[in-house]
Amino acid sequence: MYSDKSLPQLAGKFLRLVTRRCAFPPRDLAIELSTACDAACGMCFRGRLGLKPAVMSAGTFEKIRGRLLEAYGAAGPAYVNFVGLGEILLNPDLEQILASFKKAFPGARANISTNLLRWDPALFGRLLAGRLADRVSVSIDDTEDAGPFYHPDCAATAGNIRALGALNRRLGFPSELRLQAVMISGAQALRVLDLAAGAGAAILNLNRLTPHLFPEKDRPPRPNPDEERAILAAARAAAAGRGVRVWNNNSFNLPMDLASAGGRFCLTSDDHLFIDVEGRVSPCFCLRKLAWGSALEKPLAELYREKPDFYALQPEACGGCDVYRKEQSDR
């Protein structure tokens, strides 16, 4: 993410993007711990990507950790998002994997992303007290029924977010709490903002729904760009003084807008790596068919030397994806 980088880091990112280069080793890393899920969100494209339910074992992660040590040394990557097109709380080795990662790279920031339908206070007590998760990101699209395309049980997750926030507060805020919601309406965004502020969340990330993997007849509805800007403006005004920063992937500042050629190049192009549940390496969790090879078989440096030019591939490979576009694209 470009949203939480320092000015020198943003300057480096700008130069890489405008010169179409990639950093190695990349600062931002995503490691998929699960493609199994306990939700059935209508907007999810797991099935359209042909994913089968699976989890990354602790043994597989140890091999990947060895590759990270080869590439980064003891300093490790700056930020690792433990995520997946699935629910990481379904991975029985989650705590062991996070502990192994933090033991190897105590200075790296670890984020876990969850729908939090499975609230386990004992597990989260250990994760937070042990400082195994520097950030906990929870996906929730409303505090009430959001409709058939979205999170299936927002009310349950809202209650679990409040419990997580209370636990985090009791422990002295060892983890940063971030809520992630798809933009549906202004009223919906304000309800989630109230939830975030009440739970002590530091960040509310209001995302754009990206339906490019759906056939046109099945695409979920979404606000147009003008409506998105109005939703963001209202949320940011309402967040003032409440301790919550409102983020959006598509709300570029001028340098990032220029660097991405007005949104034509993804802002993760220069500094991001995705490792899937089986150890395959690719530029994005949506682009699994472009995997360069397996981290279980080759060092990351060797895989980078062999990888194709992602900048050149984007116009065709990324299709109508506009997660990081300034304007919406329905191609």
Side-chain angles (χ1 to χ4, degrees), residues 39-86:
C41 304
M43 63 183 176
C44 181
F45 40 78
R46 290 167 55 250
R48 297 184 185 279
L49 291 175
L51 297 184
K52 305 296 184 184
V55 297
M56 180 181 287
S57 69
T60 296
F61 178 75
E62 286 305 301
K63 296 175 184 177
I64 291 171
R65 189 184 78 153
R67 295 303 192 195
L68 299 182
L69 283 166
E70 289 174 348
Y72 292 91
Y79 183 80
V80 175
N81 186 13
F82 288 98
V83 67
L85 276 180

Side-chain angles (χ1 to χ4, degrees), residues 138 140 142-143 154-155 157-163 177 179 189-201 204 242 244:
V138 184
I140 181 170
D142 207 331
T143 56
C154 294
T157 291
N160 293 340
I161 287 170
R162 295 185 186 100
L177 179 57
L179 302 193
L190 294 179
R191 285 192 292 268
V192 179
L193 172 63
D194 287 341
L195 174 64
L204 170 59
R242 303 182 71 182
V244 182

Side-chain angles (χ1 to χ4, degrees), residues 68-135:
L68 299 182
L69 283 166
E70 289 174 348
Y72 292 91
Y79 183 80
V80 175
N81 186 13
F82 288 98
V83 67
L85 276 180
E87 173 50 53
I88 66 169
L89 294 180
L90 293 174
N91 188 323
D93 294 339
L94 173 63
E95 186 176 359
Q96 183 180 347
I97 287 171
L98 293 175
S100 174
F101 176 79
K102 276 296 189 177
K103 183 177 180 180
F105 309 113
R109 293 196 72 205
N111 171 76
I112 59 173
S113 293
T114 173
N115 63 33
L116 208 61
L117 283 172
R118 292 171 177 255
W119 168 241
D120 183 339
L123 171 63
F124 275 93
R126 295 192 300 272
L127 296 182
L128 271 58
R131 297 187 179 273
L132 301 183
D134 302 280
R135 174 184 287 167

Side-chain angles (χ1 to χ4, degrees), residues 158-215:
N160 293 340
I161 287 170
R162 295 185 186 100
L164 173 61
L167 174 62
N168 199 34
R169 186 177 288 111
R170 286 199 303 273
L171 294 174
F173 294 98
S175 293
E176 180 181 65
L177 179 57
R178 176 176 68 179
L179 302 193
Q180 303 179 137
V182 167
M183 284 185 286
I184 304 171
S185 70
Q188 162 259 349
L190 294 179
R191 285 192 292 268
V192 179
L193 172 63
D194 287 341
L195 174 64
I203 300 165
L204 170 59
N205 197 10
L206 292 174
N207 299 314
R208 169 179 289 171
L209 178 64
T210 305
H212 69 290
L213 293 174
F214 289 80

Side-chain angles (χ1 to χ4, degrees), residues 290-325:
L290 293 183
W292 311 321
S294 173
L296 304 182
E297 299 172 358
K298 293 182 179 181
L300 294 179
E302 184 175 342
L303 291 173
Y304 251 68
R305 286 194 296 270
E306 297 173 355
K307 76 178 184 68
D309 180 0
F310 181 44
Y311 289 104
L313 291 173
Q314 283 184 54
E316 180 177 352
C318 298
C321 179
D322 54 12
V323 172
Y324 286 93
R325 289 179 63 90

